[in-house]
Amino acid sequence: MPGPTECAPYQELKNLLREAATLGSVGALVSWDQETYMPSAAGAHRSEQAALLSGLVHERKTSPRVGDLLAECESEPALRESEGAAANIREMRRDYDRAVRVPTELVSELARVGSLAQDVWKEARGKSDFAMFAPWLDRVMGLTRRKAEFLMATMPPGAELYDALLDEYEPGMTAAQIQATFTPLKVQLSGLVQAVAGSGHTVDVSVTKVQVPAARQHQLGTLVLGAMGFDLRAGRLDTTAHPFCSGIAPGDTRLTTRYTERGGFLEPLYGTMHEGGHGLYEQNLPKGDEFGLPSSEAVSLGIHESQSRMWENFVGRSRAFWQWALPKAKELFSPALDTCTLDQIHTAANQVSPSYIRVEADEATYNLHIMMRFELERAMIAGNLATGDLPGHWNDRFKQSFGLEVPDARRGCLQDVHWSFGLIGYFPTYTLGNLYAAQMWEKINADLPGLDDQMSRGDFSGLRSWLVENVHRHGRRYRAADLCRRITGRSLESGPLVRHLQGKVKATYGV
Ligand code: ZN
């Protein structure tokens, strides 16, 4: 007897979405190439290729035929009773309703202005000249606000404009929920940072400055990725200016990292492990026959980020990890690390030190950077903060949170690319990722009592299987909040991350 998903409308819908996803994967490949090997003179034509492809994908996803088939599937009782199909239909409806609300002209205009604004931002950041970027920020914010206004039709009553943007990256989450989670976290983290500053204890970070040739670093990165279980026959590791992971297509997950020979090997290694965590998630999503369906996609950016942060911070900065990895690094980097001890590298990897730049921040202060951006972008979208007043507000808040005077806009409000092309509602997903990771990590350690022992031998198979079983294989079957409750038995909360960071600070600084 044929199963419910073999009915004609579901099959046709599946084929249409697979086609759209296949087109999308060509776009992803083109964009990966742009970030890695494309000659710079190809830039102008590449933006035409990218715009054409994204237009075609948008057209296919919003075609009236998709809408008709979706309605047919929704009225098919057998599909509603199949849990997998019902979840796919629920998520397809969400995607379709959001996509058709935003006029194609606005999508194109945002892409066009965003691309120009990004170029201006690069130059303005180089010159540390906010006034140069201000009119462009204003235009991008205006267009983004218009997009949010269109999307409000898909939002529940009481939603604010910001929620409609956030919903793109973290479906179901609201600004008010984020604020309620961030507020107590901010108090705890500020307390930690003050305690570290007052401890009078300084950490020996000389090992972080040890210079190692890029080729050797690449060998270590590849070795660690292999141990994590990242399948290099179904992926690659290349270098870029801004590391990322792209789950391009079934059997093709691309990671990038950045080696800084003078800046030491730890940051690049953590970059590789971070992207490797994203990559493992992409490789273990059920992409074969289901490619193009929501069941082959990640839950949300927050859950995606929980996977990368877990490998980078919870695994990569642990003593158990270094028990295994230090001898490997010593061998590959010989004689650079000959005198380095386990204590030295473990302590250096866990230093806490307030700094201006988010992407260089330590694990504890990182979240303070995010909270500030969340509050400022929420105010800008609500119309409570004029874009021209951004630097002043930024600098005041930075002083409050970090105790540091911002010396220039380059190290202040011009440091991130996100706002230049309208990525609003994206920043909080970084801290959500840390929170989800910490909450899962407590459960993982309860479920896998021998985990530290396994990690100290370079055996990450137990952890990887746990992640596949509990997170990866479900695709978008559960929303982030449901997945969190399903895994940990509790709603998202800040306690686990605070306990994790307090433990680290105690071990490193004795406070
Ligand atoms: Zn990430």
Side-chain angles (χ1 to χ4, degrees):
M1 210 178 78
T5 60
E6 278 161 54
C7 75
Y10 191 80
Q11 281 302 322
E12 192 183 339
L13 193 54
K14 190 173 154 182
N15 291 339
L16 287 178
L17 290 179
R18 189 181 178 89
E19 248 180 49
T22 302
L23 258 180
S25 71
V26 178
L29 188 57
V30 156
S31 131
W32 170 84
D33 177 66
Q34 185 170 0
E35 301 290 328
T36 50
Y37 297 114
M38 186 190 81
S40 58
H45 187 70
R46 182 57 48 90
S47 72
E48 280 183 46
Q49 293 173 325
L52 177 63
L53 282 164
S54 55
L56 288 172
V57 172
H58 186 78
E59 232 171 67
R60 289 191 178 230
K61 284 188 171 168
T62 55
S63 83
R65 184 69 191 147
V66 168
D68 293 345
L69 289 166
L70 201 46
E72 276 185 61
C73 287
E74 283 166 335
S75 61
E76 180 60 60
L79 285 172
R80 280 205 301 270
E81 279 155 26
S82 149
E83 204 198 326
N88 270 332
I89 292 166
R90 177 197 72 214
E91 294 301 303
M92 289 189 270
R93 165 59 67 195
R94 173 199 136 79
D95 295 349
Y96 183 77
D97 283 352
R98 280 183 65 89
V100 295
R101 292 288 168 188
V102 186
T104 313
E105 304 80 60
L106 180 57
V107 174
S108 313
E109 180 68 354
L110 200 48
R112 199 182 62 80
V113 174
S115 149
L116 296 171
Q118 212 179 321
D119 282 345
V120 177
W121 165 76
K122 268 185 208 150
E123 201 186 333
R125 185 182 62 161
K127 295 179 176 162
S128 207
D129 181 356
F130 180 77
M132 181 182 181
F133 179 57
W136 287 91
L137 178 62
D138 209 51
R139 278 180 78 181
V140 171
M141 281 292 171
L143 290 170
T144 308
R145 200 177 296 119
R146 267 187 63 208
K147 180 176 148 191
E149 280 159 4
F150 282 114
L151 287 170
M152 282 305 274
T154 67
M155 301 300 293
E160 59 180 80
L161 276 181
Y162 186 86
D163 293 339
L165 298 168
L166 175 65
D167 202 52
E168 174 88 18
Y169 311 114
E170 202 63 26
M173 180 66 84
T174 67
Q177 284 171 322
I178 288 181
Q179 191 69 68
T181 313
F182 281 10
T183 301
L185 182 60
K186 190 173 173 180
V187 174
Q188 300 266 20
L189 292 181
S190 301
L192 263 189
V193 172
Q194 275 164 16
V196 168
S199 72
H201 191 102
T202 50
V203 167
D204 170 14
V205 294
S206 52
V207 64
T208 63
K209 302 193 174 71
V210 170
Q211 293 178 27
V212 181
R216 295 285 158 150
Q217 295 191 50
H218 190 79
Q219 279 179 292
L220 181 67
T222 310
L223 183 123
V224 171
L225 284 178
M228 286 167 64
F230 181 80
D231 182 358
L232 281 155
R233 290 165 315 156
R236 295 179 53 90
L237 174 65
D238 294 273
T239 54
T240 40
H242 303 284
F244 65 90
C245 160
S246 178
I248 292 180
D252 192 358
T253 298
R254 314 262 175 132
L255 312 178
T256 64
T257 192
R258 168 177 57 191
Y259 302 116
T260 52
E261 294 189 11
R262 276 193 299 166
F265 65 94
L266 271 183
E267 214 183 290
L269 175 65
Y270 287 133
T272 301
M273 292 183 78
H274 179 101
E275 302 310 334
H278 283 305
L280 272 181
Y281 188 8
E282 288 293 324
Q283 286 191 332
N284 289 298
L285 284 164
K287 280 193 186 175
D289 179 51
E290 293 175 59
F291 181 61
L293 290 177
S295 53
S296 74
E297 295 169 349
V299 178
S300 69
L301 287 190
I303 295 294
H304 225 310
E305 195 68 4
S306 75
Q307 302 303 290
S308 55
R309 301 277 164 167
M310 189 177 289
W311 288 98
E312 175 192 356
N313 293 331
F314 293 76
V315 174
R317 294 180 204 278
S318 71
R319 200 175 174 83
F321 171 79
W322 281 112
Q323 268 176 301
W324 166 73
L326 182 58
K328 303 279 177 207
K330 283 189 173 201
E331 207 179 304
L332 283 168
F333 298 170
S334 175
L337 293 180
D338 282 3
T339 60
C340 175
T341 64
L342 178 59
D343 272 340
Q344 253 177 332
I345 195 145
H346 179 233
T347 313
N350 289 289
Q351 67 159 324
V352 173
S353 172
S355 58
Y356 298 110
I357 305 291
R358 173 184 65 87
V359 295
E360 293 167 6
D362 62 74
E363 200 186 341
T365 58
Y366 186 88
N367 300 294
L368 293 171
H369 286 271
I370 296 303
M371 290 171 191
M372 213 179 92
R373 284 157 178 77
F374 161 67
E375 288 166 17
L376 291 170
E377 65 180 18
R378 187 183 182 194
M380 282 192 282
I381 286 296
N384 297 332
L385 170 60
T387 46
D389 296 336
L390 180 62
H393 282 256
W394 178 289
N395 297 352
D396 289 348
R397 276 169 192 256
F398 199 84
K399 176 92 204 231
Q400 269 172 30
S401 293
F402 297 83
L404 297 172
E405 295 284 352
V406 177
D408 48 37
R410 192 170 57 82
R411 281 173 281 185
C413 66
L414 281 182
Q415 65 181 271
D416 295 304
V417 69
H418 303 58
W419 290 339
S420 74
F421 58 101
L423 282 191
I424 310 293
Y426 194 110
F427 277 122
T429 67
Y430 294 128
T431 287
L432 290 176
N434 286 328
L435 291 164
Y436 285 128
Q439 200 160 326
M440 284 186 210
W441 192 247
E442 287 193 348
K443 177 72 167 101
I444 289 169
N445 279 277
D447 287 355
L448 308 173
L451 181 60
D452 257 14
D453 220 39
Q454 290 164 18
M455 292 201 299
S456 68
R457 297 194 307 270
D459 176 5
F460 304 100
S461 59
L463 171 60
R464 185 176 62 251
S465 304
W466 190 99
L467 293 171
V468 171
E469 173 65 23
N470 289 282
V471 182
H472 304 172
R473 72 183 173 99
H474 296 303
R476 287 166 65 189
R477 175 172 290 204
Y478 309 105
R479 291 274 170 87
D482 300 334
L483 186 70
C484 180
R485 251 190 309 275
R486 206 185 131 85
I487 292 174
T488 68
R490 304 178 67 90
S491 303
L492 184 65
E493 51 197 6
S494 58
L497 181 61
V498 170
R499 285 194 283 278
H500 164 74
L501 293 173
Q502 280 171 339
K504 289 204 160 190
V505 163
K506 181 115 188 110
T508 312
Y509 294 89
V511 288

